[in-house]
PDB file of all heavy atoms in Angstrom:
ATOM      1  N   LEU A 397     -11.291 -12.153   5.469  1.00 98.00           N
ATOM      2  CA  LEU A 397     -10.877 -12.072   4.068  1.00 98.00           C
ATOM      3  C   LEU A 397     -11.943 -11.353   3.255  1.00 98.00           C
ATOM      4  O   LEU A 397     -13.139 -11.424   3.570  1.00 98.00           O
ATOM      5  CB  LEU A 397     -10.654 -13.473   3.498  1.00 98.00           C
ATOM      6  CG  LEU A 397      -9.634 -14.354   4.223  1.00 98.00           C
ATOM      7  CD1 LEU A 397      -9.466 -15.683   3.472  1.00 98.00           C
ATOM      8  CD2 LEU A 397      -8.296 -13.656   4.360  1.00 98.00           C
ATOM      9  N   ASP A 398     -11.535 -10.674   2.187  1.00 97.00           N
ATOM     10  CA  ASP A 398     -12.465  -9.919   1.345  1.00 97.00           C
ATOM     11  C   ASP A 398     -13.051 -10.734   0.203  1.00 97.00           C
ATOM     12  O   ASP A 398     -14.054 -10.335  -0.384  1.00 97.00           O
ATOM     13  CB  ASP A 398     -11.773  -8.688   0.754  1.00 97.00           C
ATOM     14  CG  ASP A 398     -11.368  -7.696   1.824  1.00 97.00           C
ATOM     15  OD1 ASP A 398     -11.942  -7.725   2.933  1.00 97.00           O
ATOM     16  OD2 ASP A 398     -10.466  -6.879   1.546  1.00 97.00           O
ATOM     17  N   SER A 399     -12.409 -11.847  -0.146  1.00 96.00           N
ATOM     18  CA  SER A 399     -12.941 -12.709  -1.200  1.00 96.00           C
ATOM     19  C   SER A 399     -12.596 -14.159  -0.875  1.00 96.00           C
ATOM     20  O   SER A 399     -11.694 -14.433  -0.081  1.00 96.00           O
ATOM     21  CB  SER A 399     -12.384 -12.324  -2.576  1.00 96.00           C
ATOM     22  OG  SER A 399     -11.005 -12.599  -2.659  1.00 96.00           O
ATOM     23  N   GLU A 400     -13.329 -15.059  -1.493  1.00 95.00           N
ATOM     24  CA  GLU A 400     -13.138 -16.490  -1.225  1.00 95.00           C
ATOM     25  C   GLU A 400     -11.798 -16.962  -1.785  1.00 95.00           C
ATOM     26  O   GLU A 400     -11.511 -16.771  -2.966  1.00 95.00           O
ATOM     27  CB  GLU A 400     -14.266 -17.302  -1.844  1.00 95.00           C
ATOM     28  CG  GLU A 400     -14.179 -18.785  -1.548  1.00 95.00           C
ATOM     29  CD  GLU A 400     -15.362 -19.563  -2.093  1.00 95.00           C
ATOM     30  OE1 GLU A 400     -16.285 -18.961  -2.663  1.00 95.00           O
ATOM     31  OE2 GLU A 400     -15.345 -20.783  -1.944  1.00 95.00           O
ATOM     32  N   PRO A 401     -10.978 -17.591  -0.961  1.00 96.00           N
ATOM     33  CA  PRO A 401      -9.709 -18.113  -1.470  1.00 96.00           C
ATOM     34  C   PRO A 401      -9.908 -19.461  -2.160  1.00 96.00           C
ATOM     35  O   PRO A 401     -10.914 -20.137  -1.952  1.00 96.00           O
ATOM     36  CB  PRO A 401      -8.870 -18.283  -0.189  1.00 96.00           C
ATOM     37  CG  PRO A 401      -9.887 -18.598   0.863  1.00 96.00           C
ATOM     38  CD  PRO A 401     -11.117 -17.792   0.482  1.00 96.00           C
ATOM     39  N   THR A 402      -8.952 -19.839  -2.984  1.00 93.00           N
ATOM     40  CA  THR A 402      -9.004 -21.147  -3.634  1.00 93.00           C
ATOM     41  C   THR A 402      -8.296 -22.203  -2.804  1.00 93.00           C
ATOM     42  O   THR A 402      -8.333 -23.383  -3.143  1.00 93.00           O
ATOM     43  CB  THR A 402      -8.385 -21.081  -5.045  1.00 93.00           C
ATOM     44  OG1 THR A 402      -7.032 -20.618  -4.934  1.00 93.00           O
ATOM     45  CG2 THR A 402      -9.182 -20.126  -5.933  1.00 93.00           C
ATOM     46  N   ALA A 403      -7.644 -21.796  -1.718  1.00 96.00           N
ATOM     47  CA  ALA A 403      -6.997 -22.711  -0.765  1.00 96.00           C
ATOM     48  C   ALA A 403      -7.054 -22.029   0.601  1.00 96.00           C
ATOM     49  O   ALA A 403      -7.320 -20.832   0.695  1.00 96.00           O
ATOM     50  CB  ALA A 403      -5.544 -22.985  -1.164  1.00 96.00           C
ATOM     51  N   ASN A 404      -6.831 -22.797   1.658  1.00 97.00           N
ATOM     52  CA  ASN A 404      -6.831 -22.233   3.007  1.00 97.00           C
ATOM     53  C   ASN A 404      -5.817 -21.093   3.108  1.00 97.00           C
ATOM     54  O   ASN A 404      -4.753 -21.144   2.497  1.00 97.00           O
ATOM     55  CB  ASN A 404      -6.506 -23.297   4.046  1.00 97.00           C
ATOM     56  CG  ASN A 404      -7.619 -24.312   4.192  1.00 97.00           C
ATOM     57  OD1 ASN A 404      -8.713 -24.134   3.685  1.00 97.00           O
ATOM     58  ND2 ASN A 404      -7.327 -25.387   4.881  1.00 97.00           N
ATOM     59  N   VAL A 405      -6.154 -20.065   3.904  1.00 98.00           N
ATOM     60  CA  VAL A 405      -5.270 -18.918   4.117  1.00 98.00           C
ATOM     61  C   VAL A 405      -4.900 -18.880   5.595  1.00 98.00           C
ATOM     62  O   VAL A 405      -5.775 -18.941   6.459  1.00 98.00           O
ATOM     63  CB  VAL A 405      -5.957 -17.596   3.713  1.00 98.00           C
ATOM     64  CG1 VAL A 405      -5.096 -16.402   4.086  1.00 98.00           C
ATOM     65  CG2 VAL A 405      -6.279 -17.600   2.225  1.00 98.00           C
ATOM     66  N   THR A 406      -3.604 -18.774   5.866  1.00 97.00           N
ATOM     67  CA  THR A 406      -3.097 -18.703   7.236  1.00 97.00           C
ATOM     68  C   THR A 406      -2.410 -17.357   7.433  1.00 97.00           C
ATOM     69  O   THR A 406      -1.604 -16.937   6.599  1.00 97.00           O
ATOM     70  CB  THR A 406      -2.091 -19.840   7.501  1.00 97.00           C
ATOM     71  OG1 THR A 406      -2.750 -21.087   7.258  1.00 97.00           O
ATOM     72  CG2 THR A 406      -1.588 -19.811   8.932  1.00 97.00           C
ATOM     73  N   ILE A 407      -2.740 -16.683   8.538  1.00 98.00           N
ATOM     74  CA  ILE A 407      -2.149 -15.385   8.862  1.00 98.00           C
ATOM     75  C   ILE A 407      -1.554 -15.469  10.257  1.00 98.00           C
ATOM     76  O   ILE A 407      -2.246 -15.816  11.215  1.00 98.00           O
ATOM     77  CB  ILE A 407      -3.214 -14.267   8.817  1.00 98.00           C
ATOM     78  CG1 ILE A 407      -3.844 -14.185   7.431  1.00 98.00           C
ATOM     79  CG2 ILE A 407      -2.608 -12.928   9.235  1.00 98.00           C
ATOM     80  CD1 ILE A 407      -5.041 -13.249   7.355  1.00 98.00           C
ATOM     81  N   ASP A 408      -0.266 -15.177  10.349  1.00 97.00           N
ATOM     82  CA  ASP A 408       0.393 -15.134  11.654  1.00 97.00           C
ATOM     83  C   ASP A 408       0.111 -13.786  12.298  1.00 97.00           C
ATOM     84  O   ASP A 408       0.127 -12.746  11.635  1.00 97.00           O
ATOM     85  CB  ASP A 408       1.901 -15.336  11.505  1.00 97.00           C
ATOM     86  CG  ASP A 408       2.254 -16.746  11.076  1.00 97.00           C
ATOM     87  OD1 ASP A 408       1.484 -17.677  11.383  1.00 97.00           O
ATOM     88  OD2 ASP A 408       3.293 -16.923  10.400  1.00 97.00           O
ATOM     89  N   VAL A 409      -0.153 -13.806  13.618  1.00 97.00           N
ATOM     90  CA  VAL A 409      -0.445 -12.593  14.377  1.00 97.00           C
ATOM     91  C   VAL A 409       0.497 -12.561  15.574  1.00 97.00           C
ATOM     92  O   VAL A 409       0.554 -13.517  16.342  1.00 97.00           O
ATOM     93  CB  VAL A 409      -1.912 -12.573  14.862  1.00 97.00           C
ATOM     94  CG1 VAL A 409      -2.218 -11.275  15.581  1.00 97.00           C
ATOM     95  CG2 VAL A 409      -2.870 -12.805  13.714  1.00 97.00           C
ATOM     96  N   ALA A 410       1.233 -11.450  15.731  1.00 96.00           N
ATOM     97  CA  ALA A 410       2.175 -11.341  16.845  1.00 96.00           C
ATOM     98  C   ALA A 410       2.358  -9.871  17.203  1.00 96.00           C
ATOM     99  O   ALA A 410       2.141  -8.987  16.370  1.00 96.00           O
ATOM    100  CB  ALA A 410       3.521 -11.953  16.466  1.00 96.00           C
ATOM    101  N   SER A 411       2.751  -9.608  18.428  1.00 96.00           N
ATOM    102  CA  SER A 411       3.061  -8.264  18.881  1.00 96.00           C
ATOM    103  C   SER A 411       4.463  -7.901  18.403  1.00 96.00           C
ATOM    104  O   SER A 411       5.363  -8.749  18.384  1.00 96.00           O
ATOM    105  CB  SER A 411       3.003  -8.205  20.416  1.00 96.00           C
ATOM    106  OG  SER A 411       3.484  -6.956  20.872  1.00 96.00           O
ATOM    107  N   ASN A 412       4.645  -6.634  18.047  1.00 96.00           N
ATOM    108  CA  ASN A 412       5.996  -6.204  17.685  1.00 96.00           C
ATOM    109  C   ASN A 412       6.790  -5.764  18.918  1.00 96.00           C
ATOM    110  O   ASN A 412       7.963  -5.425  18.803  1.00 96.00           O
ATOM    111  CB  ASN A 412       5.958  -5.083  16.636  1.00 96.00           C
ATOM    112  CG  ASN A 412       5.444  -3.780  17.193  1.00 96.00           C
ATOM    113  OD1 ASN A 412       4.796  -3.738  18.239  1.00 96.00           O
ATOM    114  ND2 ASN A 412       5.721  -2.692  16.483  1.00 96.00           N
ATOM    115  N   ASP A 413       6.136  -5.781  20.097  1.00 96.00           N
ATOM    116  CA  ASP A 413       6.830  -5.432  21.339  1.00 96.00           C
ATOM    117  C   ASP A 413       6.229  -6.258  22.473  1.00 96.00           C
ATOM    118  O   ASP A 413       5.280  -5.846  23.150  1.00 96.00           O
ATOM    119  CB  ASP A 413       6.693  -3.932  21.633  1.00 96.00           C
ATOM    120  CG  ASP A 413       7.537  -3.490  22.831  1.00 96.00           C
ATOM    121  OD1 ASP A 413       8.029  -4.369  23.591  1.00 96.00           O
ATOM    122  OD2 ASP A 413       7.677  -2.271  23.015  1.00 96.00           O
ATOM    123  N   ALA A 414       6.796  -7.436  22.706  1.00 93.00           N
ATOM    124  CA  ALA A 414       6.275  -8.372  23.713  1.00 93.00           C
ATOM    125  C   ALA A 414       6.424  -7.842  25.133  1.00 93.00           C
ATOM    126  O   ALA A 414       5.794  -8.358  26.053  1.00 93.00           O
ATOM    127  CB  ALA A 414       6.983  -9.721  23.576  1.00 93.00           C
ATOM    128  N   THR A 415       7.217  -6.802  25.340  1.00 94.00           N
ATOM    129  CA  THR A 415       7.326  -6.231  26.691  1.00 94.00           C
ATOM    130  C   THR A 415       6.127  -5.342  27.017  1.00 94.00           C
ATOM    131  O   THR A 415       5.892  -5.022  28.185  1.00 94.00           O
ATOM    132  CB  THR A 415       8.623  -5.400  26.846  1.00 94.00           C
ATOM    133  OG1 THR A 415       8.559  -4.265  25.972  1.00 94.00           O
ATOM    134  CG2 THR A 415       9.850  -6.255  26.537  1.00 94.00           C
ATOM    135  N   GLU A 416       5.341  -4.959  26.007  1.00 95.00           N
ATOM    136  CA  GLU A 416       4.176  -4.095  26.226  1.00 95.00           C
ATOM    137  C   GLU A 416       2.842  -4.824  26.049  1.00 95.00           C
ATOM    138  O   GLU A 416       1.854  -4.463  26.667  1.00 95.00           O
ATOM    139  CB  GLU A 416       4.220  -2.897  25.267  1.00 95.00           C
ATOM    140  CG  GLU A 416       5.359  -1.944  25.561  1.00 95.00           C
ATOM    141  CD  GLU A 416       5.244  -1.265  26.930  1.00 95.00           C
ATOM    142  OE1 GLU A 416       4.112  -1.004  27.387  1.00 95.00           O
ATOM    143  OE2 GLU A 416       6.299  -1.003  27.544  1.00 95.00           O
ATOM    144  N   GLY A 417       2.810  -5.822  25.183  1.00 95.00           N
ATOM    145  CA  GLY A 417       1.562  -6.535  24.957  1.00 95.00           C
ATOM    146  C   GLY A 417       1.795  -7.806  24.166  1.00 95.00           C
ATOM    147  O   GLY A 417       2.722  -7.901  23.362  1.00 95.00           O
ATOM    148  N   LEU A 418       0.935  -8.804  24.422  1.00 95.00           N
ATOM    149  CA  LEU A 418       1.034 -10.099  23.752  1.00 95.00           C
ATOM    150  C   LEU A 418      -0.301 -10.470  23.118  1.00 95.00           C
ATOM    151  O   LEU A 418      -1.360 -10.124  23.650  1.00 95.00           O
ATOM    152  CB  LEU A 418       1.415 -11.197  24.752  1.00 95.00           C
ATOM    153  CG  LEU A 418       2.774 -11.084  25.447  1.00 95.00           C
ATOM    154  CD1 LEU A 418       2.884 -12.151  26.529  1.00 95.00           C
ATOM    155  CD2 LEU A 418       3.880 -11.233  24.417  1.00 95.00           C
ATOM    156  N   VAL A 419      -0.230 -11.217  22.047  1.00 96.00           N
ATOM    157  CA  VAL A 419      -1.429 -11.800  21.467  1.00 96.00           C
ATOM    158  C   VAL A 419      -1.764 -13.019  22.309  1.00 96.00           C
ATOM    159  O   VAL A 419      -0.950 -13.943  22.423  1.00 96.00           O
ATOM    160  CB  VAL A 419      -1.213 -12.184  19.985  1.00 96.00           C
ATOM    161  CG1 VAL A 419      -2.401 -12.964  19.457  1.00 96.00           C
ATOM    162  CG2 VAL A 419      -0.948 -10.948  19.147  1.00 96.00           C
ATOM    163  N   THR A 420      -2.928 -12.998  22.955  1.00 94.00           N
ATOM    164  CA  THR A 420      -3.317 -14.123  23.811  1.00 94.00           C
ATOM    165  C   THR A 420      -4.328 -15.037  23.134  1.00 94.00           C
ATOM    166  O   THR A 420      -4.515 -16.173  23.550  1.00 94.00           O
ATOM    167  CB  THR A 420      -3.904 -13.622  25.148  1.00 94.00           C
ATOM    168  OG1 THR A 420      -5.010 -12.769  24.881  1.00 94.00           O
ATOM    169  CG2 THR A 420      -2.828 -12.872  25.945  1.00 94.00           C
ATOM    170  N   ASP A 421      -5.000 -14.529  22.116  1.00 94.00           N
ATOM    171  CA  ASP A 421      -5.943 -15.353  21.362  1.00 94.00           C
ATOM    172  C   ASP A 421      -5.933 -14.858  19.919  1.00 94.00           C
ATOM    173  O   ASP A 421      -6.148 -13.667  19.704  1.00 94.00           O
ATOM    174  CB  ASP A 421      -7.351 -15.248  21.965  1.00 94.00           C
ATOM    175  CG  ASP A 421      -8.312 -16.238  21.326  1.00 94.00           C
ATOM    176  OD1 ASP A 421      -7.865 -17.333  20.942  1.00 94.00           O
ATOM    177  OD2 ASP A 421      -9.497 -15.892  21.199  1.00 94.00           O
ATOM    178  N   PRO A 422      -5.608 -15.658  18.973  1.00 94.00           N
ATOM    179  CA  PRO A 422      -5.489 -17.109  19.046  1.00 94.00           C
ATOM    180  C   PRO A 422      -4.219 -17.512  19.793  1.00 94.00           C
ATOM    181  O   PRO A 422      -3.181 -16.874  19.655  1.00 94.00           O
ATOM    182  CB  PRO A 422      -5.423 -17.543  17.578  1.00 94.00           C
ATOM    183  CG  PRO A 422      -4.878 -16.359  16.849  1.00 94.00           C
ATOM    184  CD  PRO A 422      -5.362 -15.156  17.596  1.00 94.00           C
ATOM    185  N   ALA A 423      -4.342 -18.579  20.570  1.00 89.00           N
ATOM    186  CA  ALA A 423      -3.272 -19.006  21.477  1.00 89.00           C
ATOM    187  C   ALA A 423      -1.956 -19.269  20.748  1.00 89.00           C
ATOM    188  O   ALA A 423      -0.891 -18.969  21.273  1.00 89.00           O
ATOM    189  CB  ALA A 423      -3.707 -20.248  22.242  1.00 89.00           C
ATOM    190  N   LEU A 424      -2.022 -19.810  19.536  1.00 92.00           N
ATOM    191  CA  LEU A 424      -0.792 -20.118  18.800  1.00 92.00           C
ATOM    192  C   LEU A 424      -0.380 -18.982  17.874  1.00 92.00           C
ATOM    193  O   LEU A 424       0.586 -19.100  17.132  1.00 92.00           O
ATOM    194  CB  LEU A 424      -0.957 -21.414  18.013  1.00 92.00           C
ATOM    195  CG  LEU A 424      -1.254 -22.654  18.859  1.00 92.00           C
ATOM    196  CD1 LEU A 424      -1.448 -23.875  17.969  1.00 92.00           C
ATOM    197  CD2 LEU A 424      -0.135 -22.892  19.864  1.00 92.00           C
ATOM    198  N   GLY A 425      -1.123 -17.869  17.896  1.00 94.00           N
ATOM    199  CA  GLY A 425      -0.754 -16.715  17.085  1.00 94.00           C
ATOM    200  C   GLY A 425      -1.012 -16.886  15.592  1.00 94.00           C
ATOM    201  O   GLY A 425      -0.385 -16.212  14.781  1.00 94.00           O
ATOM    202  N   THR A 426      -1.914 -17.785  15.240  1.00 97.00           N
ATOM    203  CA  THR A 426      -2.196 -18.039  13.825  1.00 97.00           C
ATOM    204  C   THR A 426      -3.697 -18.057  13.587  1.00 97.00           C
ATOM    205  O   THR A 426      -4.445 -18.734  14.302  1.00 97.00           O
ATOM    206  CB  THR A 426      -1.601 -19.397  13.384  1.00 97.00           C
ATOM    207  OG1 THR A 426      -0.197 -19.377  13.620  1.00 97.00           O
ATOM    208  CG2 THR A 426      -1.844 -19.662  11.917  1.00 97.00           C
ATOM    209  N   LEU A 427      -4.129 -17.314  12.582  1.00 97.00           N
ATOM    210  CA  LEU A 427      -5.512 -17.358  12.121  1.00 97.00           C
ATOM    211  C   LEU A 427      -5.545 -18.206  10.855  1.00 97.00           C
ATOM    212  O   LEU A 427      -4.690 -18.043   9.990  1.00 97.00           O
ATOM    213  CB  LEU A 427      -6.026 -15.955  11.794  1.00 97.00           C
ATOM    214  CG  LEU A 427      -6.000 -14.921  12.915  1.00 97.00           C
ATOM    215  CD1 LEU A 427      -6.384 -13.549  12.368  1.00 97.00           C
ATOM    216  CD2 LEU A 427      -6.940 -15.332  14.026  1.00 97.00           C
ATOM    217  N   THR A 428      -6.515 -19.096  10.763  1.00 97.00           N
ATOM    218  CA  THR A 428      -6.662 -19.914   9.559  1.00 97.00           C
ATOM    219  C   THR A 428      -8.063 -19.717   9.010  1.00 97.00           C
ATOM    220  O   THR A 428      -9.054 -19.890   9.721  1.00 97.00           O
ATOM    221  CB  THR A 428      -6.412 -21.408   9.847  1.00 97.00           C
ATOM    222  OG1 THR A 428      -5.081 -21.550  10.362  1.00 97.00           O
ATOM    223  CG2 THR A 428      -6.554 -22.242   8.586  1.00 97.00           C
ATOM    224  N   PHE A 429      -8.116 -19.342   7.738  1.00 97.00           N
ATOM    225  CA  PHE A 429      -9.382 -19.164   7.033  1.00 97.00           C
ATOM    226  C   PHE A 429      -9.518 -20.282   6.010  1.00 97.00           C
ATOM    227  O   PHE A 429      -8.858 -20.253   4.975  1.00 97.00           O
ATOM    228  CB  PHE A 429      -9.428 -17.803   6.335  1.00 97.00           C
ATOM    229  CG  PHE A 429      -9.443 -16.648   7.290  1.00 97.00           C
ATOM    230  CD1 PHE A 429      -8.258 -16.072   7.725  1.00 97.00           C
ATOM    231  CD2 PHE A 429     -10.645 -16.137   7.749  1.00 97.00           C
ATOM    232  CE1 PHE A 429      -8.264 -14.997   8.608  1.00 97.00           C
ATOM    233  CE2 PHE A 429     -10.662 -15.070   8.634  1.00 97.00           C
ATOM    234  CZ  PHE A 429      -9.478 -14.505   9.064  1.00 97.00           C
ATOM    235  N   PRO A 430     -10.371 -21.274   6.301  1.00 95.00           N
ATOM    236  CA  PRO A 430     -10.576 -22.348   5.332  1.00 95.00           C
ATOM    237  C   PRO A 430     -11.452 -21.861   4.170  1.00 95.00           C
ATOM    238  O   PRO A 430     -12.215 -20.893   4.319  1.00 95.00           O
ATOM    239  CB  PRO A 430     -11.279 -23.436   6.141  1.00 95.00           C
ATOM    240  CG  PRO A 430     -11.884 -22.738   7.301  1.00 95.00           C
ATOM    241  CD  PRO A 430     -11.091 -21.490   7.540  1.00 95.00           C
ATOM    242  N   THR A 431     -11.357 -22.508   3.031  1.00 92.00           N
ATOM    243  CA  THR A 431     -12.120 -22.091   1.855  1.00 92.00           C
ATOM    244  C   THR A 431     -13.618 -22.067   2.121  1.00 92.00           C
ATOM    245  O   THR A 431     -14.322 -21.240   1.568  1.00 92.00           O
ATOM    246  CB  THR A 431     -11.821 -22.996   0.650  1.00 92.00           C
ATOM    247  OG1 THR A 431     -12.113 -24.352   1.010  1.00 92.00           O
ATOM    248  CG2 THR A 431     -10.374 -22.878   0.218  1.00 92.00           C
ATOM    249  N   GLY A 432     -14.113 -22.938   2.955  1.00 91.00           N
ATOM    250  CA  GLY A 432     -15.547 -22.987   3.218  1.00 91.00           C
ATOM    251  C   GLY A 432     -16.027 -22.007   4.273  1.00 91.00           C
ATOM    252  O   GLY A 432     -17.226 -21.852   4.481  1.00 91.00           O
ATOM    253  N   ASP A 433     -15.121 -21.334   4.969  1.00 95.00           N
ATOM    254  CA  ASP A 433     -15.509 -20.426   6.045  1.00 95.00           C
ATOM    255  C   ASP A 433     -14.594 -19.201   6.040  1.00 95.00           C
ATOM    256  O   ASP A 433     -14.117 -18.753   7.066  1.00 95.00           O
ATOM    257  CB  ASP A 433     -15.436 -21.149   7.393  1.00 95.00           C
ATOM    258  CG  ASP A 433     -16.093 -20.362   8.521  1.00 95.00           C
ATOM    259  OD1 ASP A 433     -16.948 -19.509   8.230  1.00 95.00           O
ATOM    260  OD2 ASP A 433     -15.720 -20.587   9.686  1.00 95.00           O
ATOM    261  N   TRP A 434     -14.381 -18.656   4.876  1.00 96.00           N
ATOM    262  CA  TRP A 434     -13.456 -17.543   4.688  1.00 96.00           C
ATOM    263  C   TRP A 434     -14.040 -16.198   5.100  1.00 96.00           C
ATOM    264  O   TRP A 434     -13.310 -15.254   5.371  1.00 96.00           O
ATOM    265  CB  TRP A 434     -13.020 -17.468   3.225  1.00 96.00           C
ATOM    266  CG  TRP A 434     -14.202 -17.270   2.310  1.00 96.00           C
ATOM    267  CD1 TRP A 434     -14.990 -18.237   1.775  1.00 96.00           C
ATOM    268  CD2 TRP A 434     -14.738 -16.028   1.886  1.00 96.00           C
ATOM    269  NE1 TRP A 434     -15.997 -17.677   1.027  1.00 96.00           N
ATOM    270  CE2 TRP A 434     -15.865 -16.319   1.083  1.00 96.00           C
ATOM    271  CE3 TRP A 434     -14.388 -14.705   2.093  1.00 96.00           C
ATOM    272  CZ2 TRP A 434     -16.634 -15.324   0.474  1.00 96.00           C
ATOM    273  CZ3 TRP A 434     -15.155 -13.703   1.498  1.00 96.00           C
ATOM    274  CH2 TRP A 434     -16.262 -14.030   0.701  1.00 96.00           C
ATOM    275  N   ASP A 435     -15.374 -16.091   5.151  1.00 96.00           N
ATOM    276  CA  ASP A 435     -16.002 -14.797   5.373  1.00 96.00           C
ATOM    277  C   ASP A 435     -16.513 -14.589   6.804  1.00 96.00           C
ATOM    278  O   ASP A 435     -17.254 -13.663   7.075  1.00 96.00           O
ATOM    279  CB  ASP A 435     -17.129 -14.558   4.370  1.00 96.00           C
ATOM    280  CG  ASP A 435     -18.199 -15.649   4.393  1.00 96.00           C
ATOM    281  OD1 ASP A 435     -17.985 -16.695   5.028  1.00 96.00           O
ATOM    282  OD2 ASP A 435     -19.237 -15.440   3.757  1.00 96.00           O
TER     283      ASP A 435
END
């Protein structure tokens, strides 16, 4: 993130073509940036 959020920020990460490549980490396909560790 470029600036500190006022609440946790969650970003989903997924491949647009699972036949060519998959997101293997993060395992659940979600990044979470808590307010205390946003940077």
Side-chain angles (χ1 to χ4, degrees):
L397 303 184
D398 295 339
S399 68
E400 183 176 357
T402 58
N404 291 349
V405 173
T406 302
I407 301 172
D408 291 332
V409 183
S411 172
N412 70 341
D413 187 347
T415 65
E416 293 296 327
L418 297 172
V419 172
T420 57
D421 188 33
L424 299 178
T426 302
L427 302 173
T428 301
F429 294 90
T431 57
D433 192 23
W434 60 273
D435 57 349

